[in-house]
Amino acid sequence: MEKIHKIQLSILRNLLLSDGITFTKLKPNEDMENNKFVFHLNKLIDAGLINKESDLYFLTDIGKEFAGRIDTDELKFVKQAKLSAWCCSIRKLGKKKEILIGTRKKQPFYGCQGFIAGKINYGEKVLHAAKRELYEETGLKGEPKLVQIRHYLTHKEGKLVGDKFMFLCLFENPVGEISLNYEVELEWVFLDDIFKYIKKPFGSIEEFNEIINLVINYTGAISFIEKIEAADDF
């Protein structure tokens, strides 16, 4: 419902800046026709964003969360960073290690190679999201460990086109059979051969090497890093 009428945004802003408000004061301007105002007010009530107690209107709990994303000066929604779980799966075969690599078959970043990743849903715990994404995308199951939080600000031609937080999670020896996925081609790759296999990593090859070393040498400490990057393939 984020593409809503300007009048509805004004109503939500007025409620956001009050602790209960009357019908008359809630109107964006005094000259607005009552029928027009009531139409938009009822839309917000029907959506569960507003309720009325006696002669005052209030934001519901859902309405407070929803209206909290409004820029009250410019009267528009503020964009939020995307939150994703990044699933790095490693398994042992004798003395050797293999890493599960996905080649993306979907825009954006078509053909790029790296780890499985997916959005963290509203209200979802990070490690639960990682487990869910791993199973949904690969058919594998495991217990994730949070290794690092990475904040990416992605630019193209001088314009910000992406803002995301990636929660890098390590799965050691996940179990199950890899399932068919039309959006990503999956393959277990020996660690010794990883840089022969990777032709088009997300980001730079140096960054991919940094992440590989991070998960291989993980000791239990959680780190944070922030990066500004250019994306020619976005």
Side-chain angles (χ1 to χ4, degrees):
M1 191 185 171
E2 294 193 6
K3 291 184 178 180
I4 65 175
H5 197 279
K6 204 82 168 179
I7 293 174
Q8 294 173 30
L9 283 173
S10 296
I11 293 171
L12 291 172
R13 178 187 59 186
N14 290 345
L15 286 168
L16 194 63
L17 300 175
S18 71
D19 188 23
I21 192 170
T22 63
F23 179 90
T24 302
K25 292 183 177 179
L26 188 56
K27 291 176 68 174
N29 63 72
E30 295 179 356
D31 298 329
M32 182 178 294
E33 295 179 2
N34 276 349
N35 288 342
K36 185 176 183 180
F37 173 64
V38 169
F39 171 81
H40 289 289
L41 179 61
N42 285 337
K43 284 283 188 180
L44 297 173
I45 292 173
D46 292 342
L49 302 179
I50 295 175
N51 62 16
K52 183 182 180 183
E53 298 177 16
S54 298
D55 294 328
L56 297 178
Y57 291 88
F58 297 87
L59 289 170
T60 63
D61 289 341
I62 295 174
K64 290 174 184 177
E65 190 280 328
F66 186 79
R69 291 177 278 146
I70 296 174
D71 184 320
T72 55
D73 293 323
E74 298 188 16
L75 207 58
K76 65 179 183 180
F77 281 101
V78 177
K79 287 187 176 181
Q80 302 289 320
K82 295 180 180 179
L83 305 179
S84 297
W86 212 355
C87 307
C88 176
S89 298
I90 298 177
R91 70 179 183 182
K92 286 185 178 181
L93 284 181
K95 294 183 179 181
K96 290 190 174 184
K97 291 183 178 180
E98 287 185 316
I99 297 180
L100 185 63
I101 297 296
T103 301
R104 189 172 171 87
K105 300 298 182 181
K106 178 183 177 182
Q107 296 289 355
F109 304 115
Y110 188 95
C112 287
Q113 298 167 295
F115 307 126
I116 295 300
K119 295 176 183 177
I120 299 173
N121 294 327
Y122 181 77
E124 188 175 27
K125 293 181 179 180
V126 171
L127 296 184
H128 180 274
K131 291 173 68 173
R132 175 182 55 75
E133 282 296 332
L134 182 71
Y135 181 71
E136 289 178 356
E137 298 296 328
T138 71
L140 301 177
K141 294 182 179 181
E143 293 299 325
K145 299 174 183 176
L146 181 58
V147 176
Q148 188 176 65
I149 302 169
R150 302 174 74 89
H151 183 204
Y152 290 93
L153 295 168
T154 307
H155 292 79
K156 184 175 183 179
E157 298 176 353
K159 182 180 179 181
L160 182 66
V161 294
D163 182 358
K164 60 188 176 185
F165 283 86
M166 305 292 290
F167 292 80
L168 178 61
C169 298
L170 171 63
F171 289 84
E172 295 179 295
N173 300 308
V175 297
E177 296 293 329
I178 292 179
S179 58
L180 182 64
N181 188 323
Y182 294 103
E183 295 183 358
V184 61
E185 182 180 305
L186 299 165
E187 186 169 347
W188 286 105
V189 181
F190 281 113
L191 180 60
D192 293 342
D193 299 328
I194 195 72
F195 292 103
K196 296 177 184 177
Y197 181 83
I198 296 293
K199 304 298 182 184
K200 189 180 180 183
F202 291 96
S204 66
I205 194 69
E206 291 79 14
E207 182 184 24
F208 185 75
N209 184 45
E210 172 193 331
I211 295 171
I212 290 292
N213 287 327
L214 187 67
V215 295
I216 291 298
N217 299 306
Y218 175 65
T219 60
I222 301 170
S223 56
F224 173 78
I225 191 170
E226 203 160 33
K227 288 180 172 286
I228 297 176
E229 61 178 7
D232 295 331
D233 298 313
F234 189 86

